Amino acid sequence: MKSIQLSVTGMKCGGCVSTVEKILNNSDGIENVSVNLLTESAYFEITQKNIEIESVLENLKENGFPSKIYINDFSKKINKAELEKKKKWNNQWKKLTFALLLLLFSGLGHLAEGRYINFPILGNIFFHASLATLALLFPGRGIIINGFKSFIRNHPDMDSLVALGVISAYTTSLLSLVFPATGFPCFFNEPVMLLGFILIGRYLEERARYQTGSSIGELLDLQPEMANICTEDNQIKSIRVNALRPDQEIQVLAGDRVPADCIVTRGNSYVDVSHITGESKPIEVKEGENLSSGSLNLNSTLRLKVKKVGGDSSLAKLVNLIESVNARKPRIQRIADEIAGKFTYFVLIFATLTFFFWWKGARNIWPDLLSHKHQLIAQSSHTLHSSLGSNAENFLSLAIQLSIAVLVIACPCALGLATPTVITVASGKAAKKGVLFKGGDKIEMASKINQIIFDKTGTLTKGKPFVVDYKNNDDHSFLLKIAASLEKESRHPIAEALIQEAKKQNLSLFPIKKIFTHSGRGISGELESIDGLINIGNIEWLLSKGIIIDSDAKKVIENEETKTNTIIGVSIKDKLLGFILLGDLLRDDSIKTVQDLRENKFKINILSGDRKQTVLALAKKIGCKETEVKWDLLPEMKLKIIENLQINNKVAMIGDGINDVPALASSDLGIAVGSGTQIAKANADLVLMGDQLNGLPYALNLAKKTIRKIKQNLIWAFSYNLLAIPLAAGILFPKYGILLTPSIAALLMAISSITVVINALSLD
């Protein structure tokens, strides 16, 4: 299946999200749809080869959501993101400036009407009518047009509610002005104030929303615009980064960033790679070492050879991974989006019921309600808010004002933004610490984890074994040569150790004739110039293959000095050739990481394919009991243990190798170490970049805080609407005389959305 990402415009609230998801889900050949309000994007997978994306895009456009396939060209993304951002800000600022100017004149009009300032024209009703007309024609035009289009298509959204409220206020005021005998209320100031407050709210909300995605912008800023290439005549020439090609030689001065994934060909320096690993401590690089794009060269000039550029670079892949976090929603967000999709219909029905209740029903329940309120008004001084419901002359006037207030106070925006804002902030903060979640649903799962299983080699240890000693064979060079020759096509850490040791000793290796990998056990095959099948692996596996290991050999490997080392045996045919002892070092932060996890009440286990003595020696160092450790495990055995633990626990498995992939995939949360194999990272739900484990406690703690923030936002969004809508409908008016004007309702609605985003930004 092919994944597609769309940039979608026109989405204003959770109802819009629900509509776009329905359109895509109802399109043939599309599944696994996820739409994000914050990033204005849609993700889905194509299940048919001949699907026409153009028809899908046209369908979205017809329903008011113009869309296009997301640009994944890294160089274009950098430049275009900034241009589109500036254009969007300029358009919003123009609308807001004009609306604020009208709002200022409307406020001055109130002062003139109350004779607080001597400027009669500002208090004239026709002047207010002109202001309202200008507000509708210019800053409010887009909202009104989009709102009514959505309403006509039977997909009402936030704009629909605002448009109905504004037009209702304007129309009744116009009828009151032209036909005074109708008794309709006249409040031209309401459309002006309502649109002004809404545009202020949207502007502030947009700014806050932009800040939630700032981590991506910060990563894009790490990509320099220019690069210095070395020409054939050894001259330095400056070119744009998007013109770089693989195998070109470049020069990076101290203080400059690396423009692509490269390998060092000359020089040594300290380099800041915190954007990848989250570690602020610089690393020392020298000839032959790899550098990722975006790395900052600190103190010496480096000569580099370009390996990967543009969208293939590690920086581009990191940006794409963070962007795709929102492609998979947590379950809590899907529920919120479903509610938001139906919410607008509820508001429309409630506003209609409010209108008819106050127009026809209230007069029978409280016949003297308005006359009583008028006595209070007559005894008071002039009010600047002449459109307050308490000034309504009749129940029709009151009904119109309260139904408009209901329309504009409801806030499906807050519901739509409650989850994605927090997810985006959390994924950005995690990325800065070298932790990559592969979806919002993975963050949700991480918050539920209570049991963590560690692989040993390459996870708790550095995964860079080294040859310690040789046993049961006096010809150490020949023993190593046989082992390294057969292992040279393997990517296992033990294979790397053997090959590196063979290189140190300048051994020429035998060509391979046949090779077979036995996951978790060893490797077998044939070499040229060697007669017979060669087996290299753990002792139990060699015994199962019929290799003869006599009592003297067994005594050697059971010696106290060898117990803490990993031992592999080498055999030719059924004859044991000898043993190779390998050591490995604990990661610097393994002990501290396990201690931190225990303090946070996580259960810890170690599952390893290594032998008992080696695993127990490591467990003792990091503070694990023997009951928490398993050894001599094959991949399928690890899988079975995890499945048993999952009956009563939410289990995370952290590993690094190919043999860990089944366990990573079957666990509730698969965690890969960044220094591990590509296949392990591809199958993991969470990746710890670099070679440190200290990001794990941070990631799990951040996940818990993230879900807590999401719940706070959703509680706020639901509570706000549950309290604000009845308040706007006049529930407190009969007893306490408290009412909300439509403009104040609009202000509260804007504050509701902004509060949700600001709460997301407070995540630490």
Side-chain angles (χ1 to χ4, degrees):
M1 287 190 293
K2 182 181 178 183
S3 297
I4 297 288
Q5 180 179 348
L6 300 181
S7 295
V8 184
T9 56
M11 293 194 296
K12 300 294 188 305
C13 62
C16 300
V17 170
S18 181
T19 300
V20 173
E21 286 189 340
K22 284 179 183 176
I23 293 170
L24 293 173
N25 279 318
N26 291 333
S27 302
D28 293 335
I30 288 178
E31 62 180 38
N32 297 329
V33 176
S34 180
V35 180
N36 190 283
L37 174 62
L38 180 68
T39 58
E40 296 180 314
S41 55
Y43 305 82
F44 56 86
E45 293 178 343
I46 296 175
T47 58
Q48 297 178 6
K49 291 183 179 179
N50 57 350
I51 185 172
E52 294 183 4
I53 294 295
E54 290 75 16
S55 62
V56 177
L57 297 178
E58 186 62 30
N59 192 10
L60 287 168
K61 184 178 179 181
E62 288 175 359
N63 283 277
F65 303 103
S67 306
K68 57 186 177 182
I69 296 177
Y70 180 69
I71 293 176
N72 207 22
D73 186 317
F74 191 59
S75 59
K76 290 182 180 178
K77 187 186 293 185
I78 295 168
N79 301 324
K80 195 161 185 176
E82 191 63 30
L83 290 174
E84 288 184 350
K85 184 177 70 177
K86 287 181 179 178
K87 184 178 178 181
K88 194 171 184 179
W89 281 115
N90 286 335
N91 289 337
Q92 282 197 339
W93 181 248
K94 287 176 184 177
K95 287 182 181 180
L96 180 60
T97 303
F98 193 72
L100 288 174
L101 188 63
L102 295 177
L103 197 60
L104 174 63
F105 279 115
S106 180
L108 291 174
H110 280 301
L111 294 174
E113 185 184 2
R115 298 181 182 178
Y116 289 95
I117 60 173
N118 188 19
F119 215 131
I121 190 173
L122 294 179
N124 189 284
I125 189 66
F126 291 99
F127 177 74
H128 283 273
S130 301
L131 290 179
T133 303
L134 288 172
L136 266 62
L137 290 177
F138 294 101
R141 182 175 58 192
I143 294 175
I144 293 168
I145 292 173
N146 292 334
F148 277 105
K149 280 184 177 179
S150 298
F151 190 78
I152 291 168
R153 296 187 190 105
N154 196 28
H155 300 307
D157 56 16
M158 192 66 238
D159 280 355
S160 302
L161 299 179
V162 174
L164 285 171
V166 171
I167 292 299
S168 299
Y170 181 78
T171 303
T172 53
S173 300
L174 199 62
L175 289 172
S176 176
L177 181 63
V178 178
F179 306 107
T182 58
F184 283 175
C186 185
F187 40 82
F188 283 114
N189 61 312
E190 291 297 347
V192 177
M193 297 177 73
L194 197 153
L195 287 170
F197 287 142
I198 284 173
L199 289 171
I200 290 172
R202 287 193 177 178
Y203 179 78
L204 295 174
E205 177 189 315
E206 192 64 37
R207 287 203 59 172
R209 285 167 63 177
Y210 172 71
Q211 288 178 339
T212 64
S214 61
S215 58
I216 293 177
E218 289 173 8
L219 285 173
L220 292 174
D221 289 340
L222 297 178
Q223 178 70 59
E225 292 185 8
M226 307 298 291
N228 297 321
I229 66 166
C230 306
T231 61
E232 293 180 358
D233 56 354
N234 210 29
Q235 298 296 310
I236 302 299
K237 179 183 176 183
S238 185
I239 64 169
R240 298 194 70 82
V241 167
N242 56 12
L244 274 179
R245 296 292 178 265
D247 297 326
Q248 286 183 317
E249 291 272 342
I250 64 172
Q251 183 185 72
V252 178
L253 303 176
D256 289 348
R257 290 197 178 273
V258 179
D261 288 357
C262 303
I263 187 169
V264 180
T265 58
R266 189 188 308 169
N268 58 73
S269 181
Y270 280 92
V271 177
D272 180 358
V273 293
S274 57
H275 70 294
I276 294 290
T277 65
E279 288 294 318
S280 57
K281 185 179 179 181
I283 62 168
E284 185 178 7
V285 298
K286 52 191 176 183
E287 186 176 332
E289 295 192 12
N290 294 306
L291 280 178
S292 300
S293 56
S295 300
L296 178 63
N297 183 21
L298 295 177
N299 62 337
S300 299
T301 300
L302 291 173
R303 189 81 169 256
L304 309 174
K305 185 177 183 180
V306 176
K307 305 299 288 183
K308 293 180 180 179
V309 298
D312 294 327
S313 70
S314 56
L315 180 61
K317 290 177 179 177
L318 181 60
V319 170
N320 291 338
L321 185 58
I322 296 174
E323 287 179 330
S324 67
V325 166
N326 297 291
R328 301 175 70 172
K329 298 181 184 180
R331 189 177 65 89
I332 195 170
Q333 183 179 347
R334 294 193 177 278
I335 295 170
D337 284 347
E338 286 178 14
I339 294 172
K342 298 176 175 63
F343 183 74
T344 311
Y345 292 99
F346 164 76
V347 175
L348 289 171
I349 294 170
F350 197 86
T352 304
L353 293 174
T354 299
F355 174 79
F356 283 106
F357 173 79
W358 287 107
W359 182 30
K360 296 295 185 183
R363 68 174 72 244
N364 297 322
I365 303 172
W366 307 290
D368 300 325
L369 179 64
L370 293 182
S371 60
H372 174 68
K373 299 299 177 187
H374 277 303
Q375 290 174 7
L376 294 177
I377 294 162
Q379 296 169 5
S380 64
S381 60
H382 177 83
T383 174
L384 301 183
H385 300 286
S386 57
S387 62
L388 278 170
S390 56
N391 286 348
E393 296 180 0
N394 53 57
F395 282 100
L396 177 59
S397 173
L398 181 64
I400 292 171
Q401 292 182 72
L402 295 184
S403 58
I404 292 172
V406 170
L407 287 172
V408 298
I409 203 169
C411 192
C413 293
L415 284 173
L417 292 170
T419 301
T421 48
V422 185
I423 292 294
T424 303
V425 170
S427 59
K429 286 185 176 294
K432 290 178 182 178
K433 293 286 188 180
V435 177
L436 296 180
F437 287 100
K438 292 187 179 179
D441 55 337
K442 307 307 179 188
I443 296 177
E444 185 177 33
M445 179 52 69
S447 71
K448 300 176 181 178
I449 295 299
N450 67 324
Q451 183 142 11
I452 301 171
I453 295 174
F454 285 93
D455 173 50
K456 182 184 80 71
T457 305
T459 303
L460 289 169
T461 64
K462 290 185 176 181
K464 295 180 180 178
F466 51 90
V467 175
V468 175
D469 201 357
Y470 307 88
K471 299 291 183 181
N472 225 54
N473 189 304
D474 295 330
D475 192 349
H476 298 169
S477 295
F478 182 70
L479 179 62
L480 176 62
K481 187 174 180 178
I482 293 291
S485 297
L486 196 61
E487 294 274 12
K488 67 184 177 184
E489 292 186 5
S490 172
R491 293 182 60 84
H492 195 279
I494 288 178
E496 293 287 334
L498 296 173
I499 294 165
Q500 288 301 317
E501 185 64 26
K503 284 182 179 179
K504 285 181 184 178
Q505 298 184 23
N506 294 317
L507 300 178
S508 57
L509 303 182
F510 297 111
I512 295 175
K513 291 168 63 177
K514 293 180 182 178
I515 187 170
F516 307 95
T517 299
H518 307 269
S519 183
R521 297 175 175 90
I523 193 169
S524 61
E526 296 179 9
L527 299 173
E528 290 187 10
S529 305
I530 302 296
D531 182 30
L533 182 69
I534 299 167
N535 290 302
I536 304 172
N538 62 51
I539 308 305
E540 290 73 17
W541 179 64
L542 291 178
L543 289 170
S544 71
K545 298 284 286 184
I547 308 303
I548 299 171
I549 301 178
D550 59 30
S551 58
D552 291 336
K554 288 181 180 180
K555 286 180 181 179
V556 169
I557 61 176
E558 291 172 359
N559 187 290
E560 285 295 327
E561 293 181 3
T562 66
K563 282 184 178 181
T564 58
N565 294 314
T566 298
I567 298 179
I568 60 168
V570 182
S571 69
I572 300 177
K573 295 183 180 178
D574 61 351
K575 181 182 177 182
L576 179 69
L577 191 62
F579 301 112
I580 300 177
L581 275 62
L582 298 112
D584 198 359
L585 299 175
L586 269 178
R587 290 186 187 270
D588 298 335
D589 58 349
S590 289
I591 297 173
K592 180 69 165 58
T593 297
V594 172
Q595 286 177 348
D596 289 346
L597 291 170
R598 286 193 187 281
E599 287 174 4
N600 286 308
K601 310 302 181 185
F602 288 101
K603 304 173 191 173
I604 307 295
N605 290 93
I606 300 174
L607 303 183
S608 177
D610 214 335
R611 63 185 187 140
K612 179 178 179 179
Q613 292 86 350
T614 306
V615 178
L616 288 178
L618 178 137
K620 186 177 180 181
K621 289 180 182 179
I622 64 172
C624 283
K625 301 174 184 176
E626 185 172 339
T627 54
E628 297 173 326
V629 179
K630 301 287 184 183
W631 49 87
D632 291 332
L633 298 177
L634 299 176
E636 56 267 28
M637 296 165 71
K638 289 183 181 180
L639 195 61
K640 186 67 177 176
I641 292 171
I642 289 173
E643 289 173 351
N644 289 334
L645 289 172
Q646 284 176 309
I647 296 172
N648 298 311
N649 301 280
K650 292 295 182 183
V651 179
M653 167 73 190
I654 175 167
D656 75 307
I658 293 174
N659 61 324
D660 296 320
V661 170
L664 291 174
S666 66
S667 61
D668 296 298
L669 186 77
I671 305 170
V673 183
S675 56
T677 60
Q678 288 298 322
I679 189 169
K681 288 186 280 188
N683 283 274
D685 304 313
L686 188 161
V687 179
L688 304 176
M689 304 301 288
D691 60 355
Q692 299 294 312
L693 290 177
N694 55 17
L696 180 57
Y698 172 82
L700 297 176
N701 188 40
L702 179 67
K704 284 183 168 62
K705 290 181 179 179
T706 299
I707 299 304
R708 198 178 304 133
K709 283 286 182 187
I710 288 173
K711 290 178 179 177
Q712 288 172 5
N713 276 354
L714 288 174
I715 290 170
W716 162 253
F718 281 113
S719 300
Y720 163 81
N721 285 298
L722 286 173
L723 294 173
I725 292 175
L727 185 62
I731 193 171
L732 299 179
F733 182 52
K735 187 172 183 179
Y736 301 104
I738 298 175
L739 284 174
L740 296 178
T741 66
S743 55
I744 297 300
L747 180 62
L748 291 175
M749 182 273 290
I751 291 172
S752 175
S753 295
I754 296 168
T755 302
V756 163
V757 182
I758 290 175
N759 188 47
L761 288 169
S762 68
L763 181 69
D764 56 17

